[in-house]
Amino acid sequence: MDLSYGPEYQAFRDEVRAFTAKYADRAPRGALGGDMRDWQLLLIEHGYAARTIPKAYGGFGAAPDVLKSRIIAEEFLAAGLPMGMSGQGISMLVPTLLEVGSEEQKRRYIAPTLRGEIIWCQGYSEPGAGSDLAALTTRAIEDGDDFVINGQKIWTSTAAQADMMFCLVRTEPDAPKHEGISYLIFPMTTPGIEVRPLVTMTGRAEFNEVFFTDVRVPKTDVVAGRGQGWMVANATLKHERGMLGDPNQAGTRLKAIVELMQTEDVDGRRLMDNPALRDRLLKLQARVHAMEFHGLRLLTAGLKGEDPGVARLIVKLMGCELNHQLAAFAIDALGELGMLYNNSPHIRNGGNWQWSYMFDLGLIIGGGTAQIQKNIISERGLGMPREPKPAKV
Ligand SMILES: Cc1cc2nc3c(=O)[nH]c(=O)nc-3n(C[C@H](O)[C@H](O)[C@H](O)COP(=O)(O)OP(=O)(O)OC[C@H]3O[C@@H](n4cnc5c(N)ncnc54)[C@H](O)[C@@H]3O)c2cc1C
């Protein structure tokens, strides 16, 4: 099996490598790094971010080429450089608008989102609607030219910092539950929106409750038409699940762990010289490689223009769990030092391993829990019997 990309892509790889060498000092890394928005603009200008998004919407306008995208990711990873801005706007809302948004919505929102000028949050989950998202009850009633929203969202990441929300609301209360939903976009400064931060075990408020009281949103700010929200939500979720559990992240993390084990001593012994730790490291390394090869399988499907189907969900399911286990391993390897958190003078790597361990547990749940991914993979991918639905009373 030949896993090389062939000579025609070598020139492109050289080009990317030259860019990473030339501009590395402008990347936002630690205290000495540059600004993330400036970095994002530089990447768009050279075609390393928003690469295939049309120029008319603020992208670079290149033709899709999965191998070139892969080479960019590989070279940035090798150079230890960030791939630009991400987040729910760029990774989820932009591809959704490109797929099903109106021309006006594309022109208005995509370019400033790519430039990091509009930060978005995702208003899907509610206290009674998480895995069973279609059970959502936040209502939007038509009134003149507006919808008037009342209800509550929960677990809304970055709602306290966001400028805009993409939000699922029930516009047709009498329709079957999947058909009565619409997808609205609106500013977080709209009167009647209250954001209450929720502090997680990391000690930071990573997500929020959001309450709506008579929030007026123009009817023109519905995406893909009234009652089409379930279809739009699924378009967004496809991108969310694709972004979570990225095999590149596991590769970066493994590389950092190897460095940690080569440089750090605990109880007078280099971590890499501890056979029990080396044994665990090798097992994790095998899983990281398995994920990388799974990534190549998806790449091949992309090259052939095939839909990889549920194989994509394996990235979310296995990748998020693997990232969590890698962080757990780093903490265990550090022994007593791994127990430190928050402002300890002895903390390693700014406490990132500890933070990742706690935060990544949430990523196994967010975007659809591991159990839900397993249900979908088994039913749609392996043809196993569908889970029984509760009897109606
Ligand atoms: C870090 C993080 C960030 C998030 N960010 C956002 C956000 O920005 N916007 C947003 O809208 N939401 C967000 N969420 C919410 C997330 O989408 C939900 O938590 C998730 O969909 C699960 O819903 P739930 O919490 O209501 O759990 P529930 O659906 O109540 O599930 C509880 C448990 O039951 C299991 N379960 C449920 N149904 C089944 C079934 N049919 N078969 C087997 N097991 C089942 C689940 O796997 C889980 O273990 C975020 C969550 C986290 C953790």
Side-chain angles (χ1 to χ4, degrees):
M1 195 193 308
D2 180 11
L3 293 177
S4 70
Y5 296 163
E8 70 274 27
Y9 284 100
Q10 190 55 44
F12 183 72
R13 187 181 290 282
D14 293 343
E15 213 177 277
V16 184
R17 208 167 276 174
F19 174 89
T20 55
K22 183 172 177 188
Y23 292 106
D25 59 339
R26 283 171 62 179
R29 280 188 298 184
L32 298 173
D35 178 75
M36 183 54 103
R37 279 193 190 165
D38 292 343
W39 181 242
Q40 174 78 354
L41 294 183
L42 185 74
L43 297 194
I44 296 176
E45 186 192 327
H46 287 81
Y48 301 134
R51 180 172 175 78
T52 58
I53 294 176
K55 275 193 185 310
Y57 308 136
F60 181 71
D65 183 326
V66 283
L67 285 185
K68 284 191 174 169
S69 301
R70 169 87 184 192
I71 288 169
I72 295 169
E74 285 175 358
E75 289 303 320
F76 274 65
L77 175 66
L81 298 179
M83 300 240 348
M85 300 182 89
S86 56
Q88 292 173 324
I90 290 178
S91 307
M92 292 160 67
L93 192 267
V94 166
T96 302
L97 284 186
L98 284 170
E99 205 172 317
V100 294
S102 70
E103 189 55 30
E104 204 269 330
Q105 288 162 345
K106 289 178 193 170
R107 290 196 179 268
R108 189 160 167 205
Y109 294 118
I110 294 180
T113 302
L114 294 176
R115 292 194 298 264
E117 290 160 13
I118 305 181
I119 304 298
W120 292 80
C121 63
Q122 174 199 31
Y124 281 17
S125 306
E126 298 182 4
S131 300
D132 185 11
L133 184 57
L136 63 93
T137 59
T138 291
R139 290 181 67 163
I141 308 285
E142 209 174 335
D143 183 29
D145 292 336
D146 298 332
F147 285 116
V148 180
I149 309 175
N150 280 283
Q152 185 202 338
K153 297 290 169 183
I154 195 166
W155 318 127
T156 322
S157 304
T158 67
Q161 296 80 29
D163 306 296
M164 301 276 300
M165 174 183 273
F166 51 94
C167 182
L168 291 178
V169 292
R170 189 160 296 286
T171 42
E172 272 74 25
D174 301 325
K177 70 177 185 178
H178 292 88
E179 292 165 27
I181 297 171
S182 295
Y183 187 104
L184 298 181
I185 46 184
F186 48 83
M188 291 300 283
T189 49
T190 312
I193 299 180
E194 186 195 349
V195 177
R196 292 188 203 158
L198 293 168
V199 176
T200 71
M201 65 174 142
T202 63
R204 304 179 201 169
E206 271 123 14
F207 42 35
N208 306 266
E209 294 177 290
V210 181
F211 295 86
F212 305 102
T213 310
D214 295 332
V215 175
R216 298 191 83 90
V217 174
K219 281 193 217 159
T220 46
D221 289 337
V222 65
V223 176
R226 182 174 175 160
Q228 297 300 311
W230 190 246
M231 178 274 289
V232 187
N234 278 301
T236 315
L237 277 175
K238 187 174 69 190
H239 298 295
E240 178 174 25
R241 288 172 183 161
M243 122 187 142
L244 294 169
D246 177 3
N248 276 335
Q249 199 187 357
T252 315
R253 217 168 257 200
L254 183 76
K255 208 170 138 198
I257 290 179
V258 170
E259 274 169 30
L260 178 84
M261 290 178 68
Q262 283 167 340
T263 51
E264 197 68 60
D265 289 2
V266 171
D267 292 336
R269 181 156 70 159
R270 205 171 66 119
L271 294 181
M272 195 54 100
D273 296 332
N274 178 327
L277 291 178
R278 264 208 324 262
D279 185 51
R280 263 181 85 184
L281 175 71
L282 283 179
K283 286 183 181 137
L284 285 165
Q285 189 177 34
R287 293 189 55 200
V288 171
H289 287 330
M291 281 300 295
E292 284 167 353
F293 285 118
H294 182 67
L296 288 177
R297 192 180 291 152
L298 296 182
L299 190 67
T300 307
L303 270 177
K304 291 183 183 163
E306 292 168 2
D307 178 3
V310 292
R312 206 191 281 115
L313 297 190
I314 293 173
V315 176
K316 154 78 170 103
L317 174 65
M318 304 303 289
C320 288
E321 287 184 349
L322 185 56
N323 281 333
H324 186 237
Q325 286 164 8
L326 285 164
F329 173 61
I331 292 172
D332 287 351
L334 282 168
E336 290 181 339
L337 296 172
M339 303 297 288
L340 303 174
Y341 193 54
N342 279 346
N343 305 328
S344 165
H346 303 293
I347 203 154
R348 298 301 195 264
N349 199 22
N352 270 340
W353 291 116
Q354 292 84 339
W355 180 82
S356 297
Y357 176 72
M358 292 184 275
F359 184 76
D360 287 0
L361 188 59
L363 297 187
I364 297 172
I365 300 167
T369 66
Q371 290 76 19
I372 295 299
Q373 307 306 310
K374 284 180 187 166
N375 280 353
I376 301 173
I377 292 167
S378 62
E379 289 173 11
R380 293 191 211 154
L382 305 176
M384 291 170 76
R386 293 185 76 81
E387 68 168 320
K389 297 272 174 252
K392 287 202 172 102
V393 270

